Each structure stands twice: as C-alpha cells, then as structure tokens.
Amino acid sequence: MSSFFSRAAAWAIKHRSKLPSWAQRLMESAARNPDGFMGRMTGRLLGGGDAPNTTAPEADVRVYIAPTNYAGQGYLWARALEAADDRVGARNMAISLPGDYAFEADTPVPIAAFNSSAEWGELEWEAAQRFTHVLVEAERPMFGRRFGHDLRAEVAALEAAGVSVAYICHGNDIRDPDRHAALTPWSLFPDDPRTDFFRSEARANLALLTELGGPVFVSTPDLSADVPDASWCPVIVDLVRFGGETPPVFARDRVSVVHASSDPFGKGSDYIEPALEPLIASGLVDYRLVTSTPAAQMPSVFASADIVIDQFRAGSYGVAACEAMASGRVVVGHVMPLAREFITRQTGLELPIVEATPDTLRTVVEELAADPARAREIAEAGRRYVSAVHSGAESARALVERWIGA
C-alpha cells in the first residue's frame, strides 16, 4: 500500500500543472514550508533519496547562489558572474520538483532529499563554507534540516564562518498585495485566493531582510516599490538559445499571437481570448495559448509568433517577455508607469513592450497588424533592449559593484 501512495504522490507532483489550482498550491507549499503537512508528506512518500552536493570552484572569489533558481535565473546569474571576471567562480544549487520546467542548475536537489536528508544538509553546509559569497534567493533556507529550515540560523553560521551574504527577491516573496493593488487596477490582488498568505509572507520577509542587513537585490523593476533601497539585478536571457535567426514578423496573411502562461491567473490569461475573439473570427489573428511547455521547447514556440502577449496583472515583465524580445517578437503587456520610469532611470532606455490592458488589447493588436513596418521596428528595438539589459553583463555589474567588489 505504501508503494502505491508513493507512486501516486510522485505522479501528482510530476503532473501538477494539470491539477486544479488548489492542488497546485498544495504542491508548492512543500517547497515553501518543508515542515508543513505537504513538506512532511513529500519526504515521507517520496523518500530522502540520493542527491548531489555542490562543489566549490577553484577561484579567488567563489559565489554560491541558492535555492530557488526560478526560470533558471540562479544558474544564469552564476554564469554571468564568471563571464564578467575570470577571478570569480560561481555555482547554483536549486531545489527541484518532479515534473518542473527542467531549468538548468549546477546542483539540482530533489525536494524530498532537501526536506528529509540530514546527510545531504550536512554535506551541503560543509560545501557552502568553502565559498566566499552566498546569494540567498527569495528569502528561502538553503541547507534543509541542517539548521532546521531556519534562514536566520543559516546566515548567522555563514557570517561566523567569514562568508559574505546578500539577498535577491524574485516576486511574491516580497511583493506587498495592498501596495500592488494601489499601483494598478489590474492587480491580481485581492482576487488571488493566496492574498492573505502573500501579504503575511512579504511583510515577514521584508522584516527579515531589515533584521539581517546586507545587500539586497530585486530581479524585476516593479519590486523597487516594495524594497526601495534594493539594487536591480536584471533577469537574464540566454541569447545563444533565443537570439539566433528567426522568421521575420508580420510576413504572413494572418497574425500569429502566442501567450505562454505558467500561471494563468497571475498573468490574466483568461482576459486574452475574449478580447481577441473578433479578430480571430475575422481571420486576422491566429491565437495560441501555450502551457506546461518544457523550457527546451520555448525558442521554437516564440519563433512561431508575430506577437507574444506577456501578462496584465503583475504590472511588470520577466523572463518570458525577455525571451520573446530576444527572439525578435513584438511583446504586448501591461507594465506599470512606476516600472517603466524605473527602467529609464536605471538604463537610459525605454522599455519596448507595447502597453496594453484587457480593455485595449484588441485595438493594440489591430493597430500592430495594420502597420507591419512599425511592428518590425518594435521587434528590433526589443532585441536591442534585451541585448543591452538582459544579456548578463548588467546583472553581473550590479552584483559586483553593489556587493562582491564593494
């Protein structure tokens, strides 16, 4: 009987993207709260298992990034640091769930081992002490049971060992729902059933960062509203994968519109098809919703589009929008004035994402279709912007100037 439940648990986690939203939230809670019900059940049903430990590089400056690797960013930040300075060696450790998007990581650690294996936690802690710098992602603990899943204790031990610690915020770990709802009428708050949880977590994490001190970074520009003193460390796009030759945009009779969504509620995916329905019915637009697509397939997904619709409810942009711009596609979405102004102050550039809300989306797409020359100019501006801001050089510069070399 226990083996049956183990197989059932493994299947549910592997196929969680096909489960109802309430079931997906239960799966996510195993990573957020390892000592909670789902965290304990994951460890019990899937077992601790074998897991790799991180090996410190041979370098003068050794940077350890852990533990979330959202959209593969921990891995790409590590590579950017190494490319920027040959004195730096960097590695990332990432907690992985069965059936996730398979983003590359230096040390992928199954969540069951992270939550349950005392041996893995001890060995990973020993490895981390060989690094000179540790970048904590999303205010999450890094060493499993070794310090009782307590980030405060981990940071105290690292600093006692002479390791410099900094922090990078990713999104809802630090985004205050009430502040966000005041900034954009399209906010996912308070509609999101997780609003109370996110409010509590964001405020606790902000208090924790204040208590711990140390450099703080944010990965997206909108988060400057929540952590005004933080530095922006932009997300990174792999330009080798997404920046190659792609078919020209607006070269077909019908405009190909793609929306890739890992979080339909959070991105406002349900607004898109009703807004575009008249254009679809008229034959002007082909619309495709893409979900649960492995990361390795995304370059071909974006290359098939003329327009990529990003999101409406976060009021910002992230990795998917950058990948689409790098692919030479026109990206449409809602980005708050606060975020656009922050980008211009930081970079001197204007964000080339075409502004739209669910109310204006139909008109925006019609206007793009009616002026292919303008659309192609926007697509090329997107390529230039991503190359300048999201290639890794700016991210490494932020980490070095604001932390590692300070």
Side-chain angles (χ1 to χ4, degrees):
M1 182 66 71
S2 62
S3 63
F4 168 79
F5 285 114
S6 297
R7 291 194 300 272
W11 184 93
I13 294 175
K14 185 174 182 180
H15 297 89
R16 68 187 186 282
S17 63
K18 300 178 182 179
L19 297 174
S21 58
W22 62 265
Q24 293 185 47
R25 291 195 290 273
L26 283 178
M27 299 294 105
E28 293 165 4
S29 73
R32 284 200 305 263
N33 183 14
D35 294 322
F37 173 75
M38 281 306 300
R40 295 196 306 272
M41 288 298 292
T42 298
R44 183 176 301 172
L45 294 176
L46 298 183
D50 296 327
N53 288 102
T54 304
T55 301
E58 296 290 336
D60 294 337
V61 178
R62 301 173 296 281
V63 183
Y64 178 88
I65 303 173
T68 60
N69 198 41
Y70 292 137
Q73 290 303 297
Y75 179 83
L76 291 172
W77 285 322
R79 302 292 77 76
L81 283 169
E82 292 181 324
D85 191 329
D86 58 12
R87 296 170 298 176
V88 176
R91 299 291 183 270
N92 87 300
M93 182 276 288
I95 303 169
S96 63
L97 283 165
D100 63 16
Y101 288 92
F103 294 109
E104 193 165 5
D106 291 315
T107 311
V109 178
I111 188 172
F114 177 86
N115 284 351
S116 304
S117 174
E119 179 183 11
W120 177 86
E122 182 64 38
L123 291 174
E124 192 67 10
W125 160 240
E126 291 178 6
Q129 293 175 80
R130 300 187 182 99
F131 288 80
T132 59
H133 295 73
V134 168
L135 181 62
V136 181
E137 296 180 283
E139 303 83 52
R140 299 281 179 84
M142 299 167 287
F143 307 120
R145 292 178 56 187
R146 176 59 178 80
F147 293 92
H149 305 286
D150 184 346
L151 181 59
R152 282 184 180 85
E154 293 179 348
V155 171
L158 286 166
E159 292 181 338
V163 178
S164 176
V165 182
Y167 310 88
I168 188 158
C169 309
H170 276 282
N172 284 332
D173 58 299
I174 205 70
R175 182 181 290 120
D176 186 279
D178 299 326
R179 181 183 295 108
H180 192 267
L183 290 171
T184 171
W186 298 102
S187 174
L188 61 161
F189 307 113
D191 298 341
D192 193 314
R194 300 166 292 181
T195 294
D196 289 343
F197 168 80
F198 287 140
R199 180 185 296 110
S200 175
E201 182 175 65
R203 293 177 181 179
N205 284 338
L206 184 59
L208 178 61
L209 292 174
T210 302
E211 172 191 333
L212 294 175
V216 179
F217 299 87
V218 292
S219 64
T220 58
D222 61 299
L223 297 179
S224 62
D226 297 283
V227 199
D229 294 331
S231 301
W232 184 27
C233 176
V235 297
I236 298 174
V237 176
D238 184 344
L239 295 180
V240 174
R241 294 182 59 225
F242 289 94
E245 290 295 323
T246 53
V249 292
F250 293 85
R252 294 163 284 201
D253 293 337
R254 295 167 70 95
V255 177
S256 174
V257 179
V258 167
H259 173 59
S261 181
S262 58
D263 180 7
F265 181 86
K267 288 201 169 194
S269 304
D270 56 324
Y271 290 122
I272 297 172
E273 191 160 355
L276 297 182
E277 180 55 39
L279 307 184
I280 298 169
S282 71
L284 179 66
V285 163
D286 282 325
Y287 172 66
R288 182 158 62 112
L289 170 64
V290 178
T291 61
S292 305
T293 303
Q297 297 178 21
M298 291 311 297
S300 62
V301 168
F302 289 139
S304 71
D306 297 308
I307 296 172
V308 173
I309 298 176
D310 184 33
Q311 57 76 40
F312 302 110
R313 309 208 69 173
S316 189
Y317 74 104
V319 174
C322 292
E323 291 173 344
M325 284 189 283
S327 303
R329 309 299 99 179
V330 176
V331 177
V332 173
H334 169 49
V335 181
M336 297 182 291
L338 174 146
R340 290 183 182 272
E341 292 162 6
F342 177 86
I343 292 162
T344 300
R345 287 197 307 271
Q346 292 286 313
T347 69
L349 302 172
E350 291 191 5
L351 177 67
I353 292 178
V354 180
E355 179 63 26
T357 69
D359 287 343
T360 64
L361 179 60
R362 173 185 171 181
T363 299
V364 167
V365 171
E366 278 183 315
E367 290 176 349
L368 288 168
D371 193 347
R374 170 176 170 262
R376 294 187 191 105
E377 289 175 0
I378 294 170
E380 286 306 310
R383 281 192 190 268
R384 292 193 298 271
Y385 176 82
V386 167
S387 180
V389 179
H390 295 285
S391 65
E394 285 298 301
S395 310
R397 183 189 60 78
L399 293 170
V400 170
E401 291 185 1
R402 301 287 183 167
W403 172 40
I404 295 169

